[in-house]
Amino acid sequence: MSNDVDRLSTALADRYRIERELGAGGMATVYLAEDLKHKRMVAVKVLRPELAAVLGAERFLQEITTTANLQHPHILPLFDSGETDGFLYYVMPYIEGETLRDKLNRETQLSIDEAVKITTDIADALDYAHRNNVIHRDIKPENILLHDGRPMVADFGIALAVSAAAGGRMTETGLSLGTPHYMSPEQATAEKDLTNRSDIYSLGSVLYEMLAGSPPHVGSSAQQIIMKIVTEEAQPVTKVRKSVSPHVAAAVAKALEKLPADRFASAKAFADALANPSYASDTRAVSQARGAIQPLRALGLRAVAIVAVAALILGVVTTKLAWREHTTPPPTMRLMLDMLANQRPRYTAGPGPILTLAPDGAGLLYSGPGVGTRTQYWLRQWDQLQATRLPQSLDEGCCAAFSPSGDSVAYLTGPHTLHVVPLGGGLSAIVADSGLTSVTDDGGGLDWGTDGWIYVSGIAGLVRVSPRGGALETVATLDAERDDLRYLWPEVLPGARAAVLTVIPARNATDPERASIGVVDLSTGKIEILLQGIRAQYSSAGYLVFAKANGVLWAAPFDAGSLRLSGREVELSDTVAVTAGGTADFSLSPDGTLAYAKGVVQSFQAVWVDRNGESRRVAADLRDFTVQQPTLSPDGLHLVVSMAGVDGRSHLWVESLDGSPKSRLTFDGSTNYRPSWRPGTGTITFLSNREETPAALGSNLFEVRADGSGSLSKTEFYDDRGLGGLTWSPDGTWMVFRTDDQEAGNADILAIRPGVDTVPRAVVATPAEELSPAVSFDGRWIAYSSNESGRREVYVRPFPDAGSAQYQISTTGGINPAWSHNGRELFYLDAASNLISVPVTAGTTFQTGAPRVLFPAAQYASNPFSREYDITPDGQEFVMIRGESDAAVHVVVVFNFVEELKRRMAAP
């Protein structure tokens, strides 16, 4: 904290405990605090020091007491005020929700009924205050809070108190009262004696913006706006929005009259006109007939004087003037970060995302190199070329979240420990060390809400804890009727009334196909499922941005008030990395910046390799973090592979070699692998660990049609040692498989005739380890590898009665045998990773010729337990898997992402 905040905390320590800064405006800085006497949260507003110095405490406090007695359901009351250690402050209730400005920033225009209802409620509050001789003087969307759909006017009478206390010295403060877009003409020209009709003009301007999407007068500078307010008529609201009812348009026009005398006499009269369908104003035509110069004469001001006043106000107004209708939105820019080698982001075995944008979008927190192979947090700020390591962060941290003010970071370490570390320096403090989810086992995530609480996915559901420590509070418990669910990756919505989160069955907590996005009402703990996805974040523009299981980002309109979707899902252009824990690694800051991990570059792709070793890729889409076990269909027209992303979950994909895109065959389980085409059936047999698998076996056999039609089925052929791989005889009669007892080192080869045999028979079962069975295309021979000699070599035996003979094919090491379709060659990989061709003659006896090296294959994937290549029917090419070793995490930052998001969502 700054020295001023420390002073304030000390000065108010006996009455209020300052929690954090909520925001700062032209007159005051607002802090969230606990009222120690009444045990409630309040908003403490401290006048800016330069303003306090001019006002003086006695006069300000005397003036502000005139507003303390205002009691109205649509007026935010004044709890307290005072002076301490040079600070002038006043205290109001802390209201959870959003301002009307937040809502307009998100929705731009409101429905006509909602806009009129908000205006009517505010008019009722103004009428009450005016009858008590209090004028607000600063009605604007920022001063209208929306609490459970009910508008409440904040800072009532504060502007009056400041103005009265300052007297004629207002220019000494460097501030002006009122916001240019909503100033009445008399306020814009600095008249001292304002009436209630000034507030009516400001309220009319707010209603105009709610209906039209922008205030009645806009410009590129405060001077331009003020000149327009004084000299130009506002465009009729019906020209901007034709659906506005005539009586509402007439009421707006009358409220925006230049002369106070031409406006409504009271706020109640304004509200009555909005509610009266027969109301029609006859003053608008008169006003328009006067021309632009008449208001100046009626106000008794020369144009030159107005320009001078406007120029004075221009020098002190601090409001941003960026109305989208009159300015070009900044362009969306995508940049890939170039990190130094010793600062690059790094994934670990942890389940969570490693990227977190600062709340203001000014920098990125990520997991990077720590001590040895461990990781620590690094902060890359956009105005710096290098990142800075946070030495106070512990090794192997996971799932970080910034505090709302951006001055601290909370993160988890496994198991069950929550830390908070100040970014300005200081040691990491343990906030909670029990009751939280085990990060190293399951993950869960956390977020730091705008209400000051840290929300964490806990063992029992969603819990929250103060950043200062203390007892955990349960926010949402697991569904008693669905105790297999888990709640992950909470994202607290603005106002901390609700949070979006991921809902997934506990037994499939790392399977993104089973995940959904839900929203939890933090006051009731009730959770509603919204859509399918693995992680979501909220955009202040009014959208949920979420990733699906394949990492593709989508967006859907979302009403943070009703907590419901309000439109269709739209696919976006970015694809993000999916972590080992099954979540998407991206971050969206409130300012509209997006950052995401594009994915680990380490990848494998399927390639064709001819007999001379020349290679070309099979297809552009057969590339991923892992590609394994390429297997051609018997006719050579289709290729099935097992592919996995950075999350490690593998699924089967079929590529038609006529150029058609690949299609996915499996969707359940986290491991689907070792496919084999079943001849004559159009089906693929494979291993999977899906939940139907007996737990003791690890994997079982399943079948699926190669065209994706029909339902997937489970076969019953397994050994109590588990299965490690399979193949079919070319006629489809025999299924040959090996047992999966690698730890014992004595896997055997068995065979069974489906529909004929009830139990498998042993083909090659010795104390050694037999792997990679392959049946010749005439069905008479079986090749395999064995370590019976102390080194893996390739052997051939008769099939199915393998006990009558054995032929050793390799002599310098060999794995992964495969037969040519014509039966005249046998291929394998030797100990030096060369692809070897051996001529064979298979008749009454088995004869071989001299082996020869076709090409070096060290750059291609190999695995002694499963063959990682296949052969085309003509024997002239091999399909193999080529790997790329760069394992860097590529981070993409999208600046002004929200502008692109709005355009995409608005497209038909």
Side-chain angles (χ1 to χ4, degrees), residues 356-363 401-408 423 588-593:
T356 308
L357 281 166
D360 60 0
F402 280 92
S403 63
S405 62
D407 61 358
S408 299
L423 295 180
L588 183 62
S589 70
D591 80 322
T593 302

Side-chain angles (χ1 to χ4, degrees), residues 368 487 557 561 775:
Y487 304 147
V775 179

Side-chain angles (χ1 to χ4, degrees), residues 200-213:
I200 293 172
Y201 182 97
S202 299
L203 181 57
S205 298
V206 172
L207 174 56
Y208 189 102
E209 181 177 358
M210 287 191 285
L211 295 172

